[in-house]
Amino acid sequence: MSLTPAIRVRGLVKRFGQTTVLDGIDLDAGRGEVTCLIGPSGSGKSTLLRCIAFLEEATDGFIEIDGEPLGFAAGPSGERMRLPQSAIRPVRSRVGMVFQQFNLWPHMTALGNVSEALVIVRGMKRRDAEARAMAELEKVGLSGRASHYPSELSGGQQQRVAIARALALEPRIMLFDEPTSSLDPELTGEVLNVMRDLAKTGMTMLVVTHEIGFAASVGAKIVFLDHGKLLVQGTPGEVFGKPRHPRIEQFLDTYLDRGAATLL
Amino acid sequence: MSFDLDLVLSFGPQILTALAITIALWVAGSGLGLVLGFFIAVARRYGGKPVDTLLMLPVELIRGTPFLVQIFLLYYGGPYVGLSLDKTVAGLLGLTVYGAAYYSELWRAGFDAIPKGHLEAADCVGLDRSQTMRRIILPEMTMLVLPSMVNMTILMLKETAILSIISVPELTLVVSAIGTEYYAFVESFTILALLYWGLVELCGAAGRHAERRLSKYRFSVS
Amino acid sequence: MISWKLFSLLVYAAQWTVLYSAISISIGFVMSAGICSATLSRNRALAFAGKLYVSFFRGVPLLVQLLLIYYLLPGVGLDVPSHVAAIAGMALCTSAYQAEILRGGFASVPRGLVEAAEMSGFSRLAIFRRIRMPIAVKLTMPALISEAIMMLKSSSLISVVGVVELTRMAQNLAASTYKPMEIYTAAGFVYLVINLVLVALGYGLEKKLRWGRI
């Protein structure tokens, strides 16, 4: 493993008007590792992920993907300069994103959703792109649903298609923004299983989640955010093991029932 | 081409009278149409299948044909079946019936848009049918249908211009008569357009204001 | 009842109604795309001009617009036949309504769908062509069809500036036969049939798009 982390965040600040959502975040996500971002609602974890996806532009600070600056770089005397669009695109293309609301394009079939970018962005022939897309759908167990429209799929199936869509573009890093939060409990498992399998292949993953069990079992590193600040980070054992940081204790109490919290 | 505004403005009093007639027709037609439309909607919703079907026919006939044809039918056809009306009365009647058909559909959409759970909740806390109607359905529905009602009411104002074709002495008739008589077409039609535009914008602004007030109410109750 | 001969005259005139409406709705649609992009433009002057246009043509009765155009054009030295003036008036009017409908359609394309396309590396143009446009059109299809129906009914107003179409024909026949009741009922019936055909077309068009809710 090389020394540069897959994602390096330094001094990241994000303000919406008067509200400071991220207040100086420093974070390293190791290559081939699963990093889980947890924390109460409004702690800024989704905003952090969206900044790393460059869907939001941070107010201050720097993000590097595989050692290359994303969006902004330090100038000769340390000042923050916005990079040209042509320098943003290639860095951004290494990152795949899975959304809470799936965001599948409703007017395309599952196959269309996965193959569209291969045709439009990568310039592949429609036939080749669809063959590739089919292979990706196979991996998430949905090759049998290729010709279905999103409205004809369950939430869990939609999210698996969305994962296949992101993977088809061969990202180095996968970002997951609460991927199971809009799913019924019985559909959560199928999505988490796909994510577990993906983690085993050595994909670098950054996951915003409320699934503490998943974070504890799959995460190499747990990062706890609170009020826009990175409060605690470490291995699951360090973060969840006792004695716990009082805020984490409180968080676990609120998000899990007490019985489940004691199991950790 | 000269733009002789003074000529048209010298007819100020006549124009203002005509404007008042337009506004009176508009307010009366929309108000009556709104009420009649509400009763049609309630009858169709709660009166059973036969009533629903019976009322659907005239509503769809009116919504499917031009207002001008309806007015011609009423004003020129009426006397042949013993219904001789003064042109202004015919105009107002036509406007009311036309509006009622459209308003009834908006009211119906409003009934359908109220979440079932809210009615079940009213039932659970022991409200009877009329209490539920007055305390739950009406206030909630007003909020839901307000934007489309405002749109329809603006449309009603614009439809009053059509009454000029059967010589109702409203704004369009009076101003275009001045224009024709003095060859001041451009001036008179420009004034005419501006007057309608102003009224429509005023009505739209009032509607947006009411919407804002109601949405505040909505937040405070939820 | 009126004779088949009279009725067939109304049906014959109805083709002008359909033709004039179809032409102005089509011209209006093309114009509306431009007006809609103007209102959404980052250029504030352009956006203001677009909004002013929409506000004016939605705020003035079509009848007044038609009279204005009919009398204004000769005033500025443009001597056009009345049916051309009528089509121009209708197109101007419906373009404002359609632009407003389209604007609403674009505004209701969920942001997440655009973000998903951004994450897939789509260019701005590709996002517009492949994601925003098809979804906006699908979302606005019912509204665009009711606007078409509205326009078809409003086309009766061009009878006032002397264009022969269904309503004008009905007026002429009513005056010469002294049977206004029957003639106008028949004319209304013809309008109703055309509208039902339009509704059915729209319904079929919507069904053809298999993908459901957004």
Side-chain angles (χ1 to χ4, degrees), chain A residues 58-140:
Chain A
T59 316
D60 200 2
F62 299 97
I63 297 169
E64 285 177 10
I65 305 288
D66 283 337
E68 289 189 43
L70 172 69
F72 295 88
S77 49
E79 79 278 17
R80 191 164 177 265
M81 307 184 325
R82 197 181 200 288
L83 297 170
Q85 200 61 36
S86 58
I88 296 174
R89 216 168 253 280
V91 180
R92 224 183 156 192
S93 71
R94 298 180 192 182
V95 179
M97 173 105 168
V98 174
F99 299 86
Q100 181 181 346
Q101 300 294 342
F102 330 131
N103 292 343
L104 290 185
W105 300 309
H107 55 307
M108 299 177 194
T109 60
L111 191 70
N113 265 278
V114 182
S115 61
E116 186 67 13
L118 296 172
V119 178
I120 297 270
V121 181
R122 296 286 157 88
M124 282 172 77
K125 286 208 186 77
R126 180 68 66 182
R127 271 176 69 106
D128 302 340
E130 288 185 346
R132 261 303 304 286
M134 206 60 182
E136 293 298 338
L137 284 174
E138 182 82 55
K139 281 188 211 162
V140 297

Side-chain angles (χ1 to χ4, degrees), chain A residues 143-206:
Chain A
S143 49
R145 293 277 189 274
S147 59
H148 287 57
Y149 284 89
S151 60
E152 301 165 332
L153 298 171
S154 75
Q157 290 170 337
Q158 289 189 52
Q159 193 60 301
R160 280 146 70 196
V161 173
I163 294 173
R165 175 174 68 180
L167 288 176
L169 294 164
E170 299 169 305
R172 305 278 300 271
I173 298 167
M174 283 284 283
L175 308 176
F176 293 85
D177 188 6
E178 304 199 26
T180 59
S181 290
S182 37
L183 295 177
D184 292 336
E186 68 265 35
L187 300 177
T188 302
E190 62 183 71
V191 172
L192 292 182
N193 283 339
V194 168
M195 290 169 65
R196 271 196 192 94
D197 291 345
L198 185 60
K200 281 183 203 141
T201 67
M203 172 66 75
T204 304
M205 292 162 63
L206 187 58

